[in-house]
Amino acid sequence: MRAVVISDSHKRSDIIEKILYDQPNAQAVFFLGDCASDIEDLQYIFNDKKFYILSGNCDYFSAFPSTAVATVGGKKIFYTHGHTLSVKYGVERLIESAKQNGCEIALYGHTHISKILYENGVYVVNPGSCSCGRDFHESYAVIDIEKNGIMPIIVKL
């Protein structure tokens, strides 16, 4: 089972559309906020995928939550934009929240810096920003969830 994780598109729905065309085998799409409107219409074009959409600190009037839990591929995933958990100052609160919710995977955005960690039994994944990365590249993440394990990777655009 493949999940695509995208964050911080900031009015670049064209980039999200390209990512989704480049990942035809993905069954789940996580959008971690900051311009949730960029992905809303794409749900209808890519109706073979399940979308999990959050709002971020730039989604002022969004009805989407800023944090949620989902089960994908038999694994519980805690996902958030991250601004409410102060992820710019560390991921301790994120990991604690994931563990409190019984999750093996924690996804976050907000920093525009891609990162993958395995800490305290939790895979922590930040896909970076697909439109304005702060670590010298734009990126997104792919997570393959199989019987023999979880494999997250960062894909540079």
Side-chain angles (χ1 to χ4, degrees):
M1 210 301 310
R2 176 167 280 193
V4 173
V5 185
I6 303 166
S7 190
D8 297 279
S9 56
H10 295 284
K11 300 291 183 193
R12 293 296 310 269
S13 60
D14 59 314
I15 294 173
I16 297 173
E17 186 172 5
K18 180 188 178 326
I19 291 168
L20 296 179
Y21 276 120
D22 287 348
Q23 294 292 332
N25 297 325
Q27 295 170 300
V29 177
F30 287 86
F31 182 80
L32 304 179
D34 277 1
C35 296
S37 60
D38 291 349
I39 198 164
E40 283 185 89
D41 290 342
L42 294 175
Q43 294 178 94
Y44 304 106
I45 296 170
F46 297 93
N47 58 10
D48 61 324
K49 302 175 187 327
K50 172 78 172 146
F51 284 77
Y52 302 89
I53 302 173
L54 294 175
S55 64
N57 59 300
C58 293
D59 294 309
Y60 303 110
F61 301 107
S62 175
F64 293 109
S66 62
T67 298
V69 174
T71 301
V72 174
K75 303 293 182 186
K76 282 185 78 176
I77 301 173
F78 179 85
Y79 59 112
T80 184
H81 182 64
H83 61 296
T84 61
L85 294 174
S86 303
V87 295
K88 286 187 177 181
Y89 306 104
V91 294
E92 296 79 16
R93 289 179 61 197
L94 172 73
I95 293 168
E96 181 182 315
S97 296
K99 290 187 77 69
Q100 286 174 350
N101 283 280
C103 298
E104 295 179 61
I105 302 170
L107 308 176
Y108 74 104
H110 189 53
T111 66
H112 294 220
I113 300 171
S114 58
K115 181 182 283 192
I116 296 175
L117 302 169
Y118 183 75
E119 199 166 309
N120 255 353
V122 178
Y123 287 92
V124 178
V125 179
N126 184 326
S129 169
C130 67
S131 69
C132 45
R134 290 193 179 127
D135 48 359
F136 306 107
H137 65 272
E138 285 69 41
S139 58
Y140 66 98
V142 171
I143 303 173
D144 288 319
I145 302 171
E146 304 294 336
K147 290 178 196 168
N148 57 348
I150 299 167
M151 177 58 68
I153 61 167
I154 300 295
V155 180
K156 293 181 182 180
L157 293 170

